[in-house]
Structures are given as C-alpha cells and as structure tokens.
C-alpha cells in the first residue's frame, strides 16, 4: 500500500514537472500554426522595412513577433540580436544570437557580436569588483581588476562599434543594416 502511494506521488510529480518543463518553442510553434502565410509575409516585410529604416523600437517589436511566430527563422533571430545590441540590451541580444547559433546560422558576424557582448559584460563585472572588494586584503584584486577594466575599452575599440551586418537581406530589401 505504501509503495503504491509513493509510486503515485512520484508519477504525479513527474507529470506536473513535465508540464512545467514544456518548451517555450512548442508554444511558439502553435502560434505559427495559427498565423496565415499572408500574415507571416506581411510581418516579415514590415519588420524588414523597420530594420532597413533604422526604426529600432518598431523593428524590435516586429522581430519579436516574428520569432514567436517562426522560431526557426535564423534571419529574424539575427536581426533581433543586432537590434537589441544597438539598443544596448545585451542579455536579450545574446539570447537572440544564441538562437542563431543553435539553429546553425552562426557566421563571423554573429560570433563577433557575441564577443562584443561578452567583453562588455566582462567590463561591467570588473567594475563591480571595486564595490564588492573594499577590504585591504583585496587591494591586489582591485588593482588587477582596474587594470583589466582600463584595457577593455581599447579591445572594444578594435571591434566595430556597431553590430556586424551579416544577416542576409530579404528579397524585398535593398540591403541589411544593423
């Protein structure tokens, strides 16, 4: 009797946890099934126009809708990453670029932008050392962190200040700009 109760509880917990672990992409693909091909094309075109015109807030919203509707669209994820990077939303940009890499769309531009983000994150972390290491025993740690933080702007200056525009341009657009 006790074994059945334990087994029942374990089965219930497994089912409950299985429901919690559902992939967000599964939900997104359900959205893709509900959107018509014409609406998808219109969304892609609107997003490409906003991107080409440099309308970052509008383009971010449209590309966010697009990746929710078409989670395997490498170009949409790449452009979303570029836009988030331009707006200095590093965590969101990194997530978008990671999707590009997971989908097999990684190229030199994506890896370049990932490197820029991680260097900026490293700089922020090194700057935090000053606030988090006030003890005299931490003097060497602070000094090393200061030197490293001072060197990072030089490294970042070697990289382009804008994301590399390497996502392929859509057929309706004359070019691709971050």
């Amino acid at each position: 009797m006790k074994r059945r109760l334990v087994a029942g509880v374990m089965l219930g917990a497994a089912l409950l946890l299985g429901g919690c672990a559902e992939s967000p992409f599964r939900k997104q693909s359900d959205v893709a099934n509900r959107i018509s091909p014409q609406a998808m094309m219109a969304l892609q075109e609107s997003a490409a126009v906003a991107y080409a015109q440099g309308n970052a807030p509008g383009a971010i919203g449209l590309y966010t809708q697009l990746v929710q509707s078409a989670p395997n669209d490498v170009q949409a994820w790449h452009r979303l990453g570029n836009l988030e990077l331009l707006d200095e939303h590093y965590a969101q940009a990194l997530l978008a670029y990671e999707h590009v890499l997971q989908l097999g769309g990684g190229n030199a531009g994506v890896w370049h932008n990932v490197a820029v983000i991680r260097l900026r994150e490293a700089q922020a972390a090194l700057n935090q050392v000053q606030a988090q290491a006030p003890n005299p025993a931490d003097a060497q740690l602070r000094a090393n962190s200061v030197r490293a933080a001072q060197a990072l702007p030089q490294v970042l200056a070697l990289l382009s200040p804008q994301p590399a525009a390497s996502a392929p341009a859509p057929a309706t657009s004359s070019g691709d700009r971050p």
Side-chain angles (χ1 to χ4, degrees):
M1 174 83 170
K2 188 174 182 180
R3 277 181 142 178
R4 283 186 179 174
L5 179 61
V6 170
V9 169
M10 290 177 67
L11 178 61
L15 291 172
L16 179 63
L17 291 174
C20 293
E22 184 175 312
S23 167
F25 292 114
R26 204 169 293 137
K27 291 178 185 174
Q28 290 172 352
S29 65
D30 292 344
V31 172
N33 293 334
R34 289 185 292 219
I35 190 167
S36 71
Q38 295 83 5
M40 181 64 78
M41 287 178 57
L43 181 58
Q44 289 171 327
E45 194 169 316
S46 296
V49 167
Y51 185 88
Q53 292 175 343
N55 175 4
I60 287 172
L62 292 166
Y63 277 108
T64 299
Q65 289 177 32
L66 191 54
V67 298
Q68 289 172 347
S69 299
N72 294 325
D73 187 334
V74 173
Q75 179 178 321
W77 280 111
H78 189 163
R79 288 186 171 187
L80 182 59
N82 287 350
L83 291 159
E84 296 287 13
L85 179 54
L86 284 172
D87 272 5
E88 299 181 2
H89 302 145
Y90 301 129
Q92 295 92 328
L94 192 55
L95 286 172
Y97 291 137
E98 287 172 351
H99 280 288
V100 171
L101 295 171
Q102 288 173 357
L103 293 170
N107 58 34
V110 172
W111 284 108
H112 173 271
N113 294 344
V114 167
V116 168
I117 292 167
R118 291 192 172 143
L119 285 169
R120 289 182 177 164
E121 289 175 335
Q123 188 174 29
L126 288 167
N127 290 334
Q128 282 296 312
V129 172
Q130 301 309 308
Q132 301 300 319
N135 297 331
D138 295 326
Q140 187 63 46
L141 181 63
R142 282 194 308 276
N144 291 345
S145 297
V146 166
R147 280 195 302 278
Q150 289 171 343
L152 277 175
Q154 295 169 350
V155 173
L156 284 165
L158 296 172
L159 303 171
S160 65
Q162 302 285 330
S166 55
T172 59
S173 173
S174 61
D176 196 51
R177 288 182 264 165

